[in-house]
Each structure stands twice: as structure tokens, then as C-alpha cells.
Amino acid sequence: MALPARWKDKIVPSDPSDEIMELQMGPSHPAAHGTIKFNLKLDGERIVDCDVEVGFLHRGFEKMCEQGTWTQCFPYTDRLNYASPCINNVGFALAVERLLGIDTTERCKYVRMIMSEVSRIADHLTCLGMAAHEVGGSTAGMYMVEAREFLYDLIEAVTGARVTVTWCRVGGVTHDLPADFADRIKASFARLDQVLSDCDKMLSRNRVFIDRMAGVGKLSQPEAISYGLSGPLLRAAGVPYDVRKAHPYLVYDRMEFEIPTGDRGDNYDRFNVRFQEMYQSKRIIEQALAAIPEGPVTITDPRVVLPDKQKVYSSIEGLMNHFKLIMEGIHVPAGEVYQAVEAANGELGFYVVSDGSGRPYRVRVRPPCFLGMGALNKMLIGRMIPDIIATFGMINMIGGECDR
Amino acid sequence: MLIEKLKARFGGEILDAQNARDEETFTIDRERAYDFFRALRDEPDFDFNFLTDVTAVDWPERKPRFEVVYQLNSLNLAHRIRVKIGVDGADPWVHSVVGVWGAADWLERECFDMFGIVFKGHPDLRRILMYDSFEGYPLRKDYYYNKRQPIVPEIDPVVNPIRSSR
């Protein structure tokens, strides 16, 4: 092969026994789902140094949020963690509602919570399915992706979209649960149970899977806390921190559920924690469906919520109200709020600042997987190349959220 | 109440303390910030072992121009606070807290990348979401959101050595 002239003096024959090889893995690597680059220094197959490069999917989320009204941010939030967009919607809506000092309806809280938990199961299935697929368990991967479809069908039945739902609004949600939602959940969960039990059998005691996961990507408890890990990554290290319990929002304080934790902080614990969390989410959904009250799913405060179409078409007040809310946006009092929700990957925080106008002055997202990626090189140095795949899979980096 | 405890402990170091919407916000002086954060993490009354977020807000018409905002959380005591440091626009710097919380490493890099705030003492302060030759700081209010960047030459992976983590 003819080499470019400028490479000639760079390529030197070397002694393979003492050479540190430099390897760039990514930004588009078939085994790493997502655009991410690992700048590796390798001694044989052992990782001596690993510089994790992110930002390939940066779209200026925070900047774009400052350009429109508060309501216009919702479509952007869908595209943060696109495996569980409902949770992002809910987080942003709660932040703005707290800034406004309003509270939404009781039914709306339940609906938001149910959809958050459906999304969490879908997200965990994506993460575990992909991770299983990448370490050789393709069958389990396909099963889980199929199970995710049942849940996406549920999300579609409620929001009308599968991924980019844009379903929350300040003060409520756009669509209530359909009348037959409880039956749909029942049918989906029956099939989901079958998949989970199959995958449990296929993976949890599978020799190959355990060898690839157990003891790999370890991070001790103090390190995990110091690096700001949250969600399943932190719980796998034995810290029972869950935003739903520590700083309850919506109606999580009325639900009974447990926080699964691990004790070794390795990939197998992370897998287990996520797996157990799916059962806990199911528990929450079942309790919520039993307790959900009747009523509207959105408040009717004309300063915040659009008027009925009937009023817009037939009265000047309704038309003006609609026009002002669309053109100027919701007037949020000046101030700032940090609102965290427990997303599938950990603590998803929205720090929103308003200067009193109809547009956000600053929207900051605290992305859970960004912090996980920040600790990735600590988990990998000293390990082998194939461990990158398993560890990266368990961090569950979602490019939209990590790079924003 | 946390606000009284902190005032009693740090007194003069706290320039401003507010409680709005059930969230406590403290403004401190940047010179002594590092010791302040260390004390917040280590003293059992506060026990802020979890750095949730580091970011900044740009107020071009105010003096000082930038607010560097830290969100702290205590996993054991389940309380949160927000700490702010006002930073001048002409020479925006604060002390890095990487020595206190590991999470500050990437969070401070992002804040530097987006606002151009220099974290003194950060071991590896370089851009993180943007590329190295990006011009300007995109989240500053004077960066127009539609602004174009010059086309940069392709980086030859063989001639240029790859980046190290530190």
C-alpha cells in the first residue's frame, strides 16, 4: 500500500515488546452505540491511558432554549435522553411550575408518574438489551428490544408519538390516559414478564455474560460519590440514593417501592440493579393505576395554559389569551430553581433561571450520563479493550443527553 | 435550618444568603472558595459529599458579569444548597474544586468550554463538547446563536499524537 509522503518519517519499525500503541476507537465504532471516541494508549491489549472524547452530538440545547418561549423548550427536552423522553418532559415541566409557584392537578401527577415509569422500563430494556447484544447475547438483546416495543405502543397510545413525545406542558399534559389504558398495561406487562423471565434465565447465570461483566468497570463507593455518579451506577456501588426517595416529587412519596442496590460496583451489579428496577417500576405503575383519581389532567390558569379552542374561535378574550401566550410566552417570575428528577440513568436536573420575561434566561441540564462518562477512564485504565464495550454499555451513554 | 448554621460557621465569608422557593442560595467570595467548599464537604453538620452541578449564568449588564453556580447535595443528610461566586467579565476565573469532588473535572471543563471561565488549578482545562479550534464561548449572551464558525483543517491522525487523559 502506498503511504502518503507526510507519513514516511512517522512510521518507524519498532520493537513490539515495549511499544505503547496509540489507538483511536470511534467516533463511530460498531460496538459502541453512540458517537464517542476513545483515545487509547495500549500495552498489548491492556489499556494504559484512555481519554474519552464526547461532544460529537452537541446541538446547543441550552443555547436554543434561550431563543424561544418556555413551552417551546419541550420538543428540545425530548431529544435529551431519547430512550425515555417522558421523564425529560416531566423534569422540565416541574422546574418551570416551581418557578411559577403553581401546582398541577392530582390526576396529572399520577399520569406523569405512570408515564415516567413506563419510560424507565423502556430505557432499561434499551440499555440492557444493547449491552447484552454487544457482549454476545444477541438473543436477549432482540427479546428486550421487542419488549420495548410493547412499551412504546403504550407511549404511542397516550402521547401519539413513540419517541419525540412533547407531551408535557407547563401546568399539565396534552393527553390523558386512554380509557382502556389499564387493560393495555395489563396485556403489555404479561408479555413483558415473559421476556424478563426469559432474559433473566439467559443472562443472569450465563457464564460468558458473567465473565464479561463481573469485576469489570469497578468503581468504589467513595469514588462513585466523588465523581457525581447517580442512578444505577451509584446504587450498584451500594449507595441507596434515589431522587424519588430522597427528594420526592410528583406523588412518589405515596408509592411503595424499594431501591435495589449492589455491593461491588461492577458492571454485573449495574446490570442487576437495572433489572430489579424494572420490577419496581412495574410495582409503582400498578399501585398508581389503582389509586389514580378522576379529574382534569391540566390546570386552567389562563396565564399559563392555552384556552379551549372553542373560546379561541368564538370570543375575543380567548383569542387574545391564546395570542399572548403563543407570541410572548408564559411570564415566569424572575428567579431560579433547581429541579431534579430520577431519570433512568440517574439524577436529571434542570436549573432554570428566569428574568421575568416570557423566555428562559438560562436553562441548564445536569445530565446523568455526562458524569458517568467523566468517570469512565477511571473504570477502564488497567483493563482490556473488550472491557470498554461492557463498561460503556452499562453507563448507557445517550448522546443526546451527554452532549446536548 | 441550614442557613443559620452556615452563617454561624462562616459568617463573614458569606456575602449573601437567600431562601427562595425552598432553596437556599449563598454567594461567597472567590478568593476563599476552595476552603469553603472543603469545609462544606468535610464537616459533619453539612456533609456535602455530592457535587451535583457546576455551571454559570451570564448577566452582561451586571457587575460582576458572571455567576458561577454550584449545586451541592448531601447524600446522607438529604439536603441541597446552591453556592454562587460572582466573577468579573474582564478576567473570569475561580479556583477549581477538582481536589474536593472528582465530578468537578468534567463539569468545570464544560463551564470553561461554554463560558470561558478559567478554573485555576484544574489539572486538564480544555474544551470538552466543542472542538479545540472553536472560536468564542457559545453560552455567553454576546454569542449570537446563529453565528458561523470558520472551517477548520482536517486533523491527520497519524501526524498528530492522540490526546492523553492527563
Side-chain angles (χ1 to χ4, degrees), chain A residues 6 41 49 98 361-362 364, chain B residues 23 55 58 156 164-165:
Chain A
R6 63 184 189 285
K41 295 211 168 95
D49 185 35
R98 264 188 64 205
Y361 190 77
R362 171 100 173 90
R364 158 74 182 166
Chain B
E23 292 183 5
T55 188
D58 181 9
D156 190 314
S164 304
S165 68

Side-chain angles (χ1 to χ4, degrees), chain B:
Chain B
M1 277 298 277
L2 203 57
I3 205 159
E4 274 93 52
K5 267 192 199 168
L6 269 161
K7 270 186 174 165
R9 166 67 180 80
F10 294 104
E13 287 178 49
I14 295 172
L15 304 179
D16 182 42
Q18 282 182 6
N19 187 336
R21 299 180 177 87
D22 297 327
E23 292 183 5
E24 281 160 1
T25 308
F26 299 89
T27 308
I28 57 164
D29 184 48
R30 72 174 166 189
E31 297 296 338
R32 303 187 57 190
Y34 188 85
D35 296 330
F36 179 79
F37 283 125
R38 245 199 125 79
L40 281 188
R41 184 195 66 177
D42 292 338
E43 289 178 17
D45 273 358
F46 312 119
D47 197 16
F48 286 105
N49 54 356
F50 193 85
L51 175 67
T52 310
D53 196 17
V54 178
T55 188
V57 184
D58 181 9
W59 301 95
E61 69 286 356
R62 284 193 196 171
K63 255 191 180 336
R65 176 175 169 183
F66 294 105
E67 270 175 351
V68 182
V69 185
Y70 300 79
Q71 317 275 356
L72 308 182
N73 186 5
S74 165
L75 299 186
N76 302 321
L77 304 178
H79 55 210
R80 296 178 189 278
I81 55 166
R82 176 161 47 236
V83 179
K84 286 183 179 177
I85 302 178
V87 174
D88 184 41
D91 177 25
W93 66 267
V94 286
H95 289 294
S96 167
V97 293
V98 174
V100 188
W101 297 283
D105 187 346
W106 274 37
L107 291 171
E108 289 180 347
R109 272 178 70 189
E110 190 188 337
C111 193
F112 163 72
D113 190 359
M114 294 292 152
F115 289 93
I117 288 160
V118 175
F119 290 85
K120 280 191 182 171
H122 190 290
D124 186 29
L125 197 66
R126 57 187 155 101
R127 286 192 179 271
I128 186 163
L129 294 178
M130 297 300 173
Y131 46 96
D132 291 335
S133 48
F134 187 88
E135 289 175 7
Y137 300 102
L139 279 181
R140 287 188 178 187
K141 289 285 176 185
D142 53 12
Y143 188 99
Y144 182 52
Y145 77 101
N146 250 348
K147 190 178 168 194
R148 297 279 157 189
Q149 287 284 324
I151 292 175
V152 293
E154 192 184 347
I155 299 168
D156 190 314
V158 173
V159 177
N160 292 284
I162 69 164
R163 308 207 291 195
S164 304
S165 68
R166 208 157 282 167

Side-chain angles (χ1 to χ4, degrees), chain A residues 170-189:
Chain A
V170 179
V173 294
T174 56
H175 298 86
D176 198 352
L177 304 177
D180 60 345
F181 190 73
D183 299 330
R184 280 170 183 265
I185 281 269
K186 218 173 174 182
S188 295
F189 278 4

Side-chain angles (χ1 to χ4, degrees), chain A residues 274-290:
Chain A
R274 281 203 168 89
F275 212 97
Q276 298 309 320
E277 270 181 22
M278 291 196 276
Y279 292 108
Q280 297 301 327
S281 291
K282 276 181 54 194
R283 258 178 88 184
I284 297 175
I285 295 170
E286 278 156 4
Q287 289 173 56
L289 280 175

Side-chain angles (χ1 to χ4, degrees), chain A residues 254-376:
Chain A
R254 296 179 208 167
M255 299 293 128
E256 260 182 47
F257 62 101
E258 278 141 35
I259 308 175
T261 53
D263 45 18
R264 295 180 301 269
D266 61 358
N267 285 336
Y268 189 69
D269 273 357
R270 291 167 192 154
F271 165 82
N272 253 337
V273 165
R274 281 203 168 89
F275 212 97
Q276 298 309 320
E277 270 181 22
M278 291 196 276
Y279 292 108
Q280 297 301 327
S281 291
K282 276 181 54 194
R283 258 178 88 184
I284 297 175
I285 295 170
E286 278 156 4
Q287 289 173 56
L289 280 175
I292 187 167
E294 289 297 319
V297 287
T298 178
I299 56 171
T300 49
D301 189 337
R303 293 167 304 165
V304 177
V305 179
L306 289 177
D308 284 342
K309 274 283 172 286
Q310 189 56 39
K311 278 189 193 156
V312 179
Y313 292 140
S314 60
S315 74
I316 187 67
E317 293 79 11
L319 185 68
M320 288 292 283
N321 188 354
H322 189 277
F323 180 81
K324 292 282 248 187
L325 276 179
I326 295 290
M327 297 308 288
E328 290 175 7
I330 302 162
H331 284 271
V332 176
E336 57 190 343
V337 145
Y338 175 80
Q339 172 69 44
V341 292
E342 181 73 22
N345 279 335
E347 177 169 340
L348 175 75
F350 287 92
Y351 172 59
V352 290
V353 182
S354 172
D355 59 352
S357 72
R359 286 155 192 263
Y361 190 77
R362 171 100 173 90
V363 176
R364 158 74 182 166
V365 181
R366 190 260 183 207
C369 59
F370 182 78
L371 279 296
M373 294 307 288
L376 184 57

Side-chain angles (χ1 to χ4, degrees), chain A residues 37-52:
Chain A
K37 192 168 148 200
F38 302 99
N39 297 316
L40 300 168
K41 295 211 168 95
L42 301 166
D43 175 14
E45 214 177 338
R46 199 161 292 279
I47 300 162
V48 178
D49 185 35
C50 171
D51 174 60
V52 182

